[in-house]
Amino acid sequence: MHSSSVDSSQRASGGYQAWVVGLLSLNFGILFFDRNALNFLMPFVQPDLHLSNTQVGMFSSALSLTWALSGLAVGRISDKLGSRKPVVVVATLAFCLCSFASGLASSFFMLLGARLLMGAAEGGVMPVSHSMIVSEVAPERRGMAMGVAQNLGSNLLGSGLAPLLLVPVAATYGWREGFYLAAAPGLITAVVIWFTLREPPAEVHDAAQPKVALSEAFRHRNVVLCAIISVLLVSYLVVCWAFMPLYLTKVRGFAPETMGWLMATLGLSAGIGSFVVPAISDAIGRRPVMIGFAFLGVILPLGGLYYTGSPWMLAAIFFLGWGLNGLFPMFMATIPSESVDPRLTATLTGVVMGTGEVLGGVLSPFLAGALADVYGLSAALWLMLALCILAGICALGLVESAPRVVARRTLAPA
């Protein structure tokens, strides 16, 4: 579609490509472990710091705001400077320090400040990581590679391991120790990234081709729809992370340990979906997968609201409903990068992710918390239901962009 690309002779071996994707996925997983730690520790933090549901929502809103602003700024700066590896390393070290600071907080405002700083540190990591993957990984494996980088580590560690590890630590030693534990691993991955990854090769393109402006990218329907879907599904995720642990313990009456492994089911689902969902879209197309999995998300809040049988069956409902998490790298990076000039990959990822975080991640948890204070915690689950239905409706308008599917359709008349 576009002549801008990385010369295939500059790409490293398949083994190195796999190492880049795996290491960046691990690093983003540790980042999400830090980001989600407060959500899983909230049943312990809320009574200790005497927090209202509105204040609980404000923590997610604050982190999402600075995450979004950071993603918008850092992705653009990285594209202009052509420097990516140092950005990822510095950001990784910074969010580890912010996790430690969260454990030191003794009031609502101290913890709020720590979350604001954490969002600023973390927001630029994924846009720049996606840019590195576009430069290093062969195009035919790009969808799955982006899915693994964004979703595998983040969900196995941030949604899967985090509740299983942090809840027992908080129950035994205290919630502050949970934050200290979350701070350590990123220091290791920062060092490994610095010493084992190269600065990716610069993209090469036809010198006669004019420079592409960001405003031109937003003339494409896919970019606009992906930004709207980002708002809706980021809202779905942050509302679930912020309020589902409280709903399961305070409304459904589950023990914190049971809540922990039910929430861990989401991490297992998204970890598998991180490569399965994008791989399916590589084969059959982005659009049908976006539509199907967005609507599938309705079963999670409905299960939480109405299913009263075995917790194991509830876990299965959670597992299936959370499959929409596999869509995130597709609408945040893959579809926009396939629809417009790939030189804008980091910038567009930052814009789409930033739009979702600002309009969805900032406003929705505050709204959900306010509704929960008035109508009860079940209001947050009804909000989740509406969000995924709207996302599915928006996905109906996407233009297919998967290279294999587009190529098949181009050759079909012949």
Side-chain angles (χ1 to χ4, degrees):
M1 291 173 62
H2 301 281
S3 59
S4 175
S5 64
V6 174
D7 190 331
S8 60
S9 65
Q10 292 181 281
R11 282 204 175 90
S13 66
Y16 179 78
Q17 292 180 36
W19 174 250
V20 170
V21 174
L23 183 54
L24 292 176
S25 179
L26 174 63
N27 190 60
F28 198 59
I30 293 168
L31 179 154
F32 249 78
F33 190 103
D34 288 354
R35 174 173 180 164
N36 283 348
L38 179 59
N39 299 318
F40 302 126
L41 295 172
M42 189 54 71
F44 304 94
V45 177
Q46 188 180 37
D48 192 28
L49 298 185
H50 309 291
L51 304 173
S52 68
N53 289 322
T54 301
Q55 288 176 318
V56 170
M58 287 178 67
F59 291 125
S60 293
S61 296
L63 188 145
S64 293
L65 175 62
T66 51
W67 175 296
L69 296 175
S70 175
L72 289 166
V74 174
R76 191 66 169 167
I77 292 170
S78 175
D79 277 344
K80 285 184 174 294
L81 296 179
S83 178
R84 288 164 277 191
K85 184 176 80 168
V87 173
V88 173
V89 171
V90 171
T92 300
L93 295 173
F95 72 67
C96 291
L97 294 176
C98 293
S99 181
F100 187 84
S102 297
L104 298 175
S106 59
S107 69
F108 165 73
F109 286 106
M110 289 181 66
L111 188 54
L112 184 66
R115 305 310 284 179
L116 284 165
L117 292 173
M118 176 173 282
E122 293 177 344
V125 172
M126 200 69 251
V128 180
S129 296
H130 276 315
S131 181
M132 295 174 73
I133 289 169
V134 167
S135 295
E136 297 285 16
V137 178
E140 60 270 18
R141 294 189 293 272
R142 186 178 296 155
M144 187 171 69
M146 286 178 158
V148 169
Q150 182 164 335
N151 271 14
L152 182 60
S154 63
N155 288 290
L156 290 181
L157 299 182
S159 298
L161 180 62
L164 296 178
L165 186 60
L166 293 173
V167 170
V169 168
T172 304
Y173 302 104
W175 60 267
R176 299 181 188 279
E177 282 69 19
F179 282 116
Y180 303 149
L181 175 66
L187 303 176
I188 299 172
T189 56
V191 173
V192 176
I193 289 171
W194 182 258
F195 286 105
T196 67
L197 297 190
R198 66 175 183 172
E199 180 64 34
E203 290 180 344
V204 295
H205 54 276
D206 186 353
Q209 193 179 41
K211 291 184 178 180
V212 61
L214 183 60
S215 59
E216 295 176 24
F218 273 90
R219 294 174 188 165
H220 197 290
R221 187 167 75 195
N222 278 1
V223 176
V224 176
L225 285 173
C226 283
I228 296 171
I229 293 170
S230 179
V231 172
L232 297 168
L233 292 188
V234 167
S235 298
Y236 181 97
L237 258 64
V238 297
V239 169
C240 185
W241 285 330
F243 292 100
M244 188 63 80
L246 292 176
Y247 179 82
L248 292 174
T249 52
K250 300 178 85 172
V251 177
R252 295 298 305 271
F254 290 114
E257 292 76 12
T258 304
M259 174 275 291
W261 67 258
L262 281 170
M263 294 300 294
T265 303
L266 305 184
L268 178 62
S269 169
I272 295 172
S274 67
F275 55 90
V276 172
V277 175
I280 294 172
S281 78
D282 281 340
I284 71 170
R286 314 294 187 212
R287 183 175 177 271
V289 172
M290 287 288 299
I291 295 167
F293 278 89
F295 284 124
L296 182 65
V298 303
I299 70 171
L300 195 156
L302 287 176
L305 287 165
Y306 293 114
Y307 183 76
T308 57
S310 165
W312 293 101
M313 189 62 192
L314 183 59
I317 293 171
F318 277 27
F319 180 91
L320 291 174
W322 203 245
L324 62 70
N325 202 281
L327 302 178
F328 273 65
M330 291 169 54
F331 65 73
M332 283 187 171
T334 308
I335 295 174
S337 69
E338 290 171 341
S339 303
V340 300
D341 196 301
R343 285 174 288 176
L344 287 173
T345 297
T347 300
L348 276 178
T349 304
V351 168
V352 175
M353 185 181 295
T355 302
E357 291 284 357
V358 169
L359 298 180
V362 175
L363 299 178
S364 63
F366 180 80
L367 174 62
L371 291 172
D373 278 333
V374 177
Y375 300 106
L377 285 166
S378 62
L381 277 67
W382 284 110
L383 180 59
M384 290 172 58
L385 181 71
L387 290 166
C388 61
I389 291 174
L390 290 172
I393 293 172
C394 288
L396 292 168
L398 290 171
V399 178
E400 186 55 62
S401 65
R404 290 184 198 173
V405 177
V406 172
R408 286 200 300 265
R409 292 178 180 177
T410 303
L411 296 172

